[in-house]
Amino acid sequence: MPDKKNLQKVLKYLKGNRLMTIGTSLKDRPWNATVFFAFDKDFNILFFSREDTRHCQNIKINKYVSVAINQDWGKSGLIKGLQMIGIASKIPEKQRAKFYSLYCARFPWAAEFPDHALYIIKPAEIHYIDQKFFGHFHRVRIL
């Protein structure tokens, strides 16, 4: 069972950041892309992107992704960030309204991009690195 205190730290960290790097691959060729993200209390990660982008094309064929979020350094010289692996997919039409409203609450400009689709990443593992709390370069598996 995950530690509730650590779960709260991760949710706070997600709230304080807006960009993530998503790693995809196709035929043993890796690809990274930086995207804006939103999230829910269940750690589902949402991103908004055109379906013709390389990362979305890769997801159509290979749903396994990695994620890194590390914009907030906190105090100078201290390492802090999230690393995840999970399964990504385009959100089905029947669930779109629920997740779209969550995304738009964080990024109201999303409505200006009708050519974008909404994607969800369901994490299989979440690792949190916070040098202040866990020591030098030690990461804690949250999920």
Side-chain angles (χ1 to χ4, degrees), residues 19-86:
L19 292 172
M20 71 177 189
T21 300
I22 180 171
T24 63
S25 67
L26 184 61
K27 297 181 182 177
D28 297 326
R29 296 190 56 101
W31 182 254
N32 288 324
T34 301
V35 296
F36 289 99
F37 74 92
F39 61 96
D40 65 16
K41 64 178 175 47
D42 297 319
F43 298 96
N44 291 309
I45 306 295
L46 309 170
F47 71 95
F48 201 48
S49 198
R50 284 190 343 265
E51 291 182 71
D52 64 349
T53 60
R54 188 167 175 180
H55 53 283
C56 291
Q57 290 294 309
N58 287 354
I59 288 168
K60 276 185 184 178
I61 298 166
N62 180 3
K63 61 187 178 181
Y64 299 99
V65 299
S66 62
V67 170
I69 302 171
N70 57 3
Q71 291 81 34
D72 174 17
W73 278 63
K75 289 185 177 179
S76 180
L78 294 179
I79 295 171
K80 189 190 266 191
L82 290 173
Q83 298 167 328
M84 301 179 204
I85 58 171

Side-chain angles (χ1 to χ4, degrees), residues 72-111:
D72 174 17
W73 278 63
K75 289 185 177 179
S76 180
L78 294 179
I79 295 171
K80 189 190 266 191
L82 290 173
Q83 298 167 328
M84 301 179 204
I85 58 171
I87 295 175
S89 62
K90 183 178 168 189
I91 293 180
E93 194 58 41
K94 64 183 177 183
Q95 295 178 331
R96 190 176 191 283
K98 170 188 166 185
F99 288 112
Y100 186 72
S101 65
L102 183 66
Y103 193 86
C104 287
R106 192 160 198 198
F107 303 110
W109 48 256

